[in-house]
Amino acid sequence: MSALKALAARMPPNLQGMALMFMVTIFIVSMHGLIRHVARELPPFEVAFFRNLFGIPILLPFLFRDGLAIFRTPRLRVHIMRSFGHVIAMMAFFYGLSTTELATANALGFTAPLFAAALATLVLGEVFRWRRWSALIVGFIGMLIILRPGIVELGTGPLLILGSSFVWGTVLVIIKSLGQRESVVTIVAYMIVFMVPLSLVPALFVWQWPNWEQIGLMAIMGMMGTAGHFLITTALKIADTAAVMPIDFLKLIWAALLGYFVFAETPDFWTFVGGAIVFGSATYIALRERRAAQAEARAETAAKTAAAAAD
């Protein structure tokens, strides 16, 4: 571990972020594969509960290090609202993933940032100009290419995943608001604390006792998912969005390979076309938002410098 830390310290920040994002893509797609496998034998709602429950071990080292200080927040209601929305998105995604090809599910998952960008203009008052609005429109066209309504039958699974992406887009807006004042550890800690009991309630209505093998798989799944949250947040914190975001497209590649070799799924050509369009649009919007934030920060710095000089 010390050798790995020393090696990482010598890497440029952008390369570190890209390496972390690469790990995230493997973690998330592996988690999706485990969900797909276990949900064939257990109700998806129950699988979602165990995914949250087994995220607790990832939180424990921070709790031992900082104690209850990680739970200090003036925005408890916002954390509750965020967790409630996250549970709804997770339940819909898990249920949809149980009947949807992995590649299609991951391609539709790229629409969440598009929904978040659109909602940010309404909730956070962010100003979008024609370039970002054009990217949004192109992204939603990509979504239609994946679904192809009227050409292929729209199954319940893809529609649930699309609904999950919309709710998750709303959650991303809330997380963005929380991130202005809260630490990453606090946000993830409250996510776990609230989502475990919230996801338990619907799971109880369909409960089936899992065997030890299923428990082991869900433990791996839960830790991968929570670790992925930490890694992607860290990657975006230490590296430029322009360097990190393109790596996320690997999720579609890994999902296609895992679906083909493990679940005998063969995604069609249009899934990749639509997924690439949606991903490109979401990445472009993320880059434009980052540049706008940097320009705003430079303007504030220049204004403070000018004010100090005038004094």
Side-chain angles (χ1 to χ4, degrees), residues 225-284:
T226 304
H229 275 285
F230 277 107
L231 290 176
I232 192 172
T233 305
T234 304
L236 291 171
K237 185 175 181 180
I238 66 175
D240 293 334
T241 305
V244 171
M245 285 305 296
I247 306 299
D248 196 43
F249 188 73
L250 287 174
K251 286 194 298 188
L252 185 55
I253 307 300
W254 304 148
L257 292 173
L258 187 64
Y260 181 79
F261 287 106
V262 177
F263 299 102
E265 300 172 351
T266 306
D268 59 41
F269 171 74
W270 296 109
T271 297
F272 287 98
V273 173
I277 292 173
V278 172
F279 174 79
S281 300
T283 301
Y284 177 81

Side-chain angles (χ1 to χ4, degrees), residues 8-30:
R10 292 195 296 267
M11 295 169 60
N14 280 346
L15 195 56
Q16 291 183 42
M18 293 169 68
L20 290 176
M21 196 65 180
F22 182 84
M23 293 173 60
V24 168
T25 62
I26 295 175
F27 279 13
I28 296 301
V29 173
S30 298

Side-chain angles (χ1 to χ4, degrees), residues 42-202:
L42 294 175
F45 288 176
E46 184 178 343
V47 177
F49 161 71
F50 278 105
R51 178 261 178 266
N52 292 320
L53 180 66
F54 286 118
I56 293 177
I58 302 297
L59 180 64
L60 291 179
F62 298 97
L63 187 61
F64 290 144
R65 185 190 68 184
D66 302 325
L68 295 179
I70 63 174
F71 293 107
R72 291 175 184 167
T73 177
R75 310 184 72 186
L76 183 60
R77 292 182 180 178
V78 181
H79 283 285
I80 295 174
M81 182 171 61
R82 182 260 189 190
S83 300
F84 186 76
H86 198 159
V87 165
I88 293 175
M90 181 180 289
M91 294 293 180
F93 184 83
F94 277 41
Y95 201 98
L97 186 60
S98 67
T99 60
T100 306
E101 290 185 349
L102 287 177
T104 301
N106 279 272
L108 289 173
F110 290 142
T111 61
L114 300 180
F115 287 121
L119 290 168
T121 63
L122 302 174
V123 179
L124 301 181
E126 294 186 2
V127 179
F128 267 34
R129 305 195 184 280
W130 70 270
R131 287 189 180 89
R132 280 188 279 180
W133 279 116
S134 298
L136 273 176
I137 294 171
V138 170
F140 286 121
I141 290 174
M143 177 194 71
L144 293 175
I145 291 174
I146 298 170
L147 295 174
R148 300 190 301 287
I151 299 176
V152 297
E153 183 180 355
L154 287 178
T156 303
L159 291 177
L160 281 172
I161 290 173
L162 193 61
S164 169
S165 293
F166 174 78
V167 178
W168 178 237
T170 306
V171 172
L172 287 175
V173 175
I174 298 173
I175 293 174
K176 186 175 183 179
S177 174
L178 284 171
Q180 297 173 355
R181 299 181 181 179
E182 306 277 17
S183 70
V184 174
V185 175
T186 298
I187 293 173
V188 176
Y190 273 109
M191 177 192 77
I192 294 173
V193 167
F194 287 130
M195 287 182 65
V196 170
L198 285 173
S199 59
L200 175 61
V201 175

